[in-house]
Amino acid sequence: GAGVSQTPSNKVTEKGKYVELRCDPISGHTALYWYRQSLGQGPEFLIYFQGTGAADDSGLPNDRFFAVRPEGSVSTLKIQRTERGDSAVYLCASSGTGTGRMNTEAFFGQGTRLTVV
Amino acid sequence: DAKTTQPNSMESNEEEPVHLPCNHSTISGTDYIHWYRQLPSQGPEYVIHGLTSNVNNRMASLAIAEDRKSSTLILHRATLRDAAVYYCILRVTGNTPLVFGKGTRLSVIA
């Protein structure tokens, strides 16, 4: 596809349930990022993949959150035992690999709106 | 990451220029200055970035102070479509994650 695709666009789940959010990055992009955004706030960094490995997962709030990118393309953000406080828009972004001092533009998807009831 | 300071909100009339300021007094020599914007119900989108020299592209201009402790994003003629939250972000080289603050909410009045 032309851009970053996230599915589903909306997800409503009950407290305590498990959810998976999917991100399809732009083809060939090696870097992939997950963010979450609460109302009125800027996006909050969660995790960054370079290829298949998590280069930085310092933003994951606790061990209920986990993300994978097994083939270096599609990524899945997994949330166990969801809580009402997990309700937010989850954004995914991808970028190519900058070499040397080149900074590479990040392309964002439309996000998945997660509501935990 | 070094932090940035932006006004919470600004207002502009349609078809007038808009100057969005950003302070980043603790910027380091390797930090690039990036601007992203987020339209309602959309993910953020790249606007412009620079290191030391002023930059122009089809969307906007970026004016960087000589000491690099502040910068200004310039929209030459605001349109209703430019109403968005604008984020000023410092980013070291490579693919390090973007760290967003609260940004400036720009309203454009017809």
mmCIF file of all heavy atoms in Angstrom, chain A residues 103-105, chain B residues 32-36 46 48-50 62 87-92 98:
data_model
loop_
_atom_site.group_PDB
_atom_site.id
_atom_site.type_symbol
_atom_site.label_atom_id
_atom_site.label_comp_id
_atom_site.label_asym_id
_atom_site.label_seq_id
_atom_site.Cartn_x
_atom_site.Cartn_y
_atom_site.Cartn_z
ATOM 1 N N ASN A 103 18.596 12.286 8.501
ATOM 2 C CA ASN A 103 17.402 11.978 9.291
ATOM 3 C C ASN A 103 16.284 11.621 8.346
ATOM 4 O O ASN A 103 16.105 12.272 7.328
ATOM 5 C CB ASN A 103 16.993 13.202 10.111
ATOM 6 C CG ASN A 103 17.710 13.237 11.428
ATOM 7 O OD1 ASN A 103 17.114 13.062 12.467
ATOM 8 N ND2 ASN A 103 18.999 13.439 11.366
ATOM 9 N N THR A 104 15.540 10.595 8.669
ATOM 10 C CA THR A 104 14.520 10.089 7.769
ATOM 11 C C THR A 104 13.137 10.393 8.304
ATOM 12 O O THR A 104 12.842 10.137 9.458
ATOM 13 C CB THR A 104 14.695 8.577 7.584
ATOM 14 O OG1 THR A 104 16.040 8.316 7.217
ATOM 15 C CG2 THR A 104 13.786 8.065 6.483
ATOM 16 N N GLU A 105 12.306 10.898 7.430
ATOM 17 C CA GLU A 105 10.929 11.233 7.771
ATOM 18 C C GLU A 105 10.172 10.003 8.256
ATOM 19 O O GLU A 105 10.314 8.914 7.694
ATOM 20 C CB GLU A 105 10.253 11.803 6.529
ATOM 21 C CG GLU A 105 8.780 12.102 6.648
ATOM 22 C CD GLU A 105 8.190 12.589 5.335
ATOM 23 O OE1 GLU A 105 8.963 12.933 4.422
ATOM 24 O OE2 GLU A 105 6.952 12.627 5.238
ATOM 25 N N TYR B 32 18.768 17.550 15.370
ATOM 26 C CA TYR B 32 18.036 18.184 14.292
ATOM 27 C C TYR B 32 16.717 18.721 14.857
ATOM 28 O O TYR B 32 16.162 18.153 15.795
ATOM 29 C CB TYR B 32 17.722 17.185 13.177
ATOM 30 C CG TYR B 32 18.881 16.892 12.263
ATOM 31 C CD1 TYR B 32 19.943 16.098 12.691
ATOM 32 C CD2 TYR B 32 18.911 17.389 10.975
ATOM 33 C CE1 TYR B 32 21.007 15.824 11.848
ATOM 34 C CE2 TYR B 32 19.974 17.119 10.119
ATOM 35 C CZ TYR B 32 21.008 16.335 10.565
ATOM 36 O OH TYR B 32 22.055 16.063 9.736
ATOM 37 N N ILE B 33 16.219 19.788 14.264
ATOM 38 C CA ILE B 33 14.927 20.364 14.662
ATOM 39 C C ILE B 33 13.886 19.877 13.651
ATOM 40 O O ILE B 33 13.984 20.159 12.458
ATOM 41 C CB ILE B 33 14.985 21.896 14.658
ATOM 42 C CG1 ILE B 33 16.079 22.378 15.618
ATOM 43 C CG2 ILE B 33 13.623 22.482 15.048
ATOM 44 C CD1 ILE B 33 16.551 23.778 15.338
ATOM 45 N N HIS B 34 12.910 19.132 14.143
ATOM 46 C CA HIS B 34 11.850 18.587 13.292
ATOM 47 C C HIS B 34 10.537 19.243 13.651
ATOM 48 O O HIS B 34 10.244 19.510 14.819
ATOM 49 C CB HIS B 34 11.699 17.083 13.521
ATOM 50 C CG HIS B 34 12.793 16.264 12.946
ATOM 51 N ND1 HIS B 34 12.598 15.394 11.880
ATOM 52 C CD2 HIS B 34 14.103 16.162 13.264
ATOM 53 C CE1 HIS B 34 13.747 14.811 11.584
ATOM 54 N NE2 HIS B 34 14.675 15.245 12.398
ATOM 55 N N TRP B 35 9.693 19.420 12.659
ATOM 56 C CA TRP B 35 8.316 19.853 12.873
ATOM 57 C C TRP B 35 7.378 18.830 12.229
ATOM 58 O O TRP B 35 7.551 18.455 11.064
ATOM 59 C CB TRP B 35 8.062 21.240 12.269
ATOM 60 C CG TRP B 35 8.637 22.356 13.084
ATOM 61 C CD1 TRP B 35 9.931 22.807 13.089
ATOM 62 C CD2 TRP B 35 7.931 23.181 14.017
ATOM 63 N NE1 TRP B 35 10.075 23.853 13.953
ATOM 64 C CE2 TRP B 35 8.865 24.119 14.539
ATOM 65 C CE3 TRP B 35 6.604 23.244 14.457
ATOM 66 C CZ2 TRP B 35 8.509 25.089 15.485
ATOM 67 C CZ3 TRP B 35 6.243 24.198 15.385
ATOM 68 C CH2 TRP B 35 7.197 25.116 15.893
ATOM 69 N N TYR B 36 6.406 18.430 13.015
ATOM 70 C CA TYR B 36 5.323 17.575 12.543
ATOM 71 C C TYR B 36 4.015 18.284 12.866
ATOM 72 O O TYR B 36 3.967 19.116 13.767
ATOM 73 C CB TYR B 36 5.339 16.199 13.224
ATOM 74 C CG TYR B 36 6.328 15.228 12.619
ATOM 75 C CD1 TYR B 36 7.697 15.398 12.806
ATOM 76 C CD2 TYR B 36 5.898 14.161 11.842
ATOM 77 C CE1 TYR B 36 8.610 14.525 12.230
ATOM 78 C CE2 TYR B 36 6.804 13.271 11.265
ATOM 79 C CZ TYR B 36 8.155 13.469 11.459
ATOM 80 O OH TYR B 36 9.054 12.600 10.880
ATOM 81 N N TYR B 46 4.890 14.728 8.710
ATOM 82 C CA TYR B 46 6.118 15.511 8.649
ATOM 83 C C TYR B 46 5.867 16.839 7.959
ATOM 84 O O TYR B 46 5.135 16.909 6.958
ATOM 85 C CB TYR B 46 7.165 14.702 7.882
ATOM 86 C CG TYR B 46 8.416 15.445 7.490
ATOM 87 C CD1 TYR B 46 9.470 15.576 8.385
ATOM 88 C CD2 TYR B 46 8.530 16.011 6.230
ATOM 89 C CE1 TYR B 46 10.629 16.243 8.019
ATOM 90 C CE2 TYR B 46 9.684 16.688 5.860
ATOM 91 C CZ TYR B 46 10.717 16.798 6.749
ATOM 92 O OH TYR B 46 11.858 17.466 6.391
ATOM 93 N N ILE B 48 8.735 19.649 8.166
ATOM 94 C CA ILE B 48 10.031 20.165 7.749
ATOM 95 C C ILE B 48 11.049 19.825 8.827
ATOM 96 O O ILE B 48 10.673 19.546 9.971
ATOM 97 C CB ILE B 48 9.947 21.691 7.515
ATOM 98 C CG1 ILE B 48 11.062 22.213 6.613
ATOM 99 C CG2 ILE B 48 9.892 22.451 8.840
ATOM 100 C CD1 ILE B 48 10.807 23.636 6.115
ATOM 101 N N HIS B 49 12.341 19.832 8.492
ATOM 102 C CA HIS B 49 13.371 19.722 9.515
ATOM 103 C C HIS B 49 14.631 20.439 9.057
ATOM 104 O O HIS B 49 14.825 20.676 7.853
ATOM 105 C CB HIS B 49 13.648 18.256 9.886
ATOM 106 C CG HIS B 49 14.543 17.520 8.926
ATOM 107 N ND1 HIS B 49 14.083 16.948 7.771
ATOM 108 C CD2 HIS B 49 15.876 17.255 8.973
ATOM 109 C CE1 HIS B 49 15.068 16.350 7.146
ATOM 110 N NE2 HIS B 49 16.181 16.520 7.844
ATOM 111 N N GLY B 50 15.462 20.777 10.025
ATOM 112 C CA GLY B 50 16.709 21.455 9.713
ATOM 113 C C GLY B 50 17.720 21.289 10.827
ATOM 114 O O GLY B 50 17.386 20.843 11.922
ATOM 115 N N LEU B 62 11.374 27.023 7.704
ATOM 116 C CA LEU B 62 11.897 26.874 9.058
ATOM 117 C C LEU B 62 13.034 27.859 9.228
ATOM 118 O O LEU B 62 14.027 27.809 8.492
ATOM 119 C CB LEU B 62 12.389 25.450 9.291
ATOM 120 C CG LEU B 62 13.050 25.164 10.636
ATOM 121 C CD1 LEU B 62 12.084 25.428 11.783
ATOM 122 C CD2 LEU B 62 13.563 23.719 10.698
ATOM 123 N N TYR B 87 3.913 20.229 16.245
ATOM 124 C CA TYR B 87 4.888 19.752 17.213
ATOM 125 C C TYR B 87 6.304 20.085 16.753
ATOM 126 O O TYR B 87 6.678 19.795 15.619
ATOM 127 C CB TYR B 87 4.796 18.227 17.371
ATOM 128 C CG TYR B 87 3.488 17.710 17.895
ATOM 129 C CD1 TYR B 87 2.511 17.224 17.037
ATOM 130 C CD2 TYR B 87 3.236 17.682 19.263
ATOM 131 C CE1 TYR B 87 1.310 16.728 17.512
ATOM 132 C CE2 TYR B 87 2.035 17.188 19.753
ATOM 133 C CZ TYR B 87 1.081 16.719 18.871
ATOM 134 O OH TYR B 87 -0.108 16.233 19.367
ATOM 135 N N CYS B 88 7.075 20.666 17.641
ATOM 136 C CA CYS B 88 8.488 20.944 17.424
ATOM 137 C C CYS B 88 9.268 19.884 18.211
ATOM 138 O O CYS B 88 9.045 19.723 19.411
ATOM 139 C CB CYS B 88 8.799 22.347 17.933
ATOM 140 S SG CYS B 88 10.533 22.794 18.030
ATOM 141 N N ILE B 89 10.134 19.159 17.547
ATOM 142 C CA ILE B 89 10.788 17.997 18.165
ATOM 143 C C ILE B 89 12.279 18.044 17.851
ATOM 144 O O ILE B 89 12.676 18.307 16.709
ATOM 145 C CB ILE B 89 10.203 16.686 17.589
ATOM 146 C CG1 ILE B 89 8.697 16.611 17.860
ATOM 147 C CG2 ILE B 89 10.916 15.473 18.152
ATOM 148 C CD1 ILE B 89 8.000 15.549 17.048
ATOM 149 N N LEU B 90 13.099 17.756 18.861
ATOM 150 C CA LEU B 90 14.532 17.597 18.642
ATOM 151 C C LEU B 90 14.838 16.115 18.488
ATOM 152 O O LEU B 90 14.342 15.284 19.243
ATOM 153 C CB LEU B 90 15.329 18.176 19.804
ATOM 154 C CG LEU B 90 15.113 19.654 20.093
ATOM 155 C CD1 LEU B 90 16.017 20.102 21.235
ATOM 156 C CD2 LEU B 90 15.349 20.500 18.855
ATOM 157 N N ARG B 91 15.644 15.806 17.513
ATOM 158 C CA ARG B 91 15.938 14.403 17.238
ATOM 159 C C ARG B 91 17.398 14.270 16.849
ATOM 160 O O ARG B 91 17.893 14.961 15.981
ATOM 161 C CB ARG B 91 15.052 13.920 16.093
ATOM 162 C CG ARG B 91 15.092 12.429 15.830
ATOM 163 C CD ARG B 91 14.348 12.131 14.551
ATOM 164 N NE ARG B 91 13.994 10.719 14.438
ATOM 165 C CZ ARG B 91 13.570 10.145 13.315
ATOM 166 N NH1 ARG B 91 13.439 10.869 12.221
ATOM 167 N NH2 ARG B 91 13.267 8.866 13.275
ATOM 168 N N VAL B 92 18.087 13.336 17.512
ATOM 169 C CA VAL B 92 19.473 13.084 17.135
ATOM 170 C C VAL B 92 19.485 12.362 15.796
ATOM 171 O O VAL B 92 18.480 11.942 15.279
ATOM 172 C CB VAL B 92 20.202 12.245 18.214
ATOM 173 C CG1 VAL B 92 20.249 12.994 19.531
ATOM 174 C CG2 VAL B 92 19.523 10.898 18.403
ATOM 175 N N LEU B 98 10.896 9.775 17.668
ATOM 176 C CA LEU B 98 10.457 11.150 17.891
ATOM 177 C C LEU B 98 9.817 11.229 19.266
ATOM 178 O O LEU B 98 9.014 10.379 19.631
ATOM 179 C CB LEU B 98 9.439 11.549 16.819
ATOM 180 C CG LEU B 98 9.962 11.566 15.387
ATOM 181 C CD1 LEU B 98 8.801 11.496 14.408
ATOM 182 C CD2 LEU B 98 10.789 12.814 15.150
#
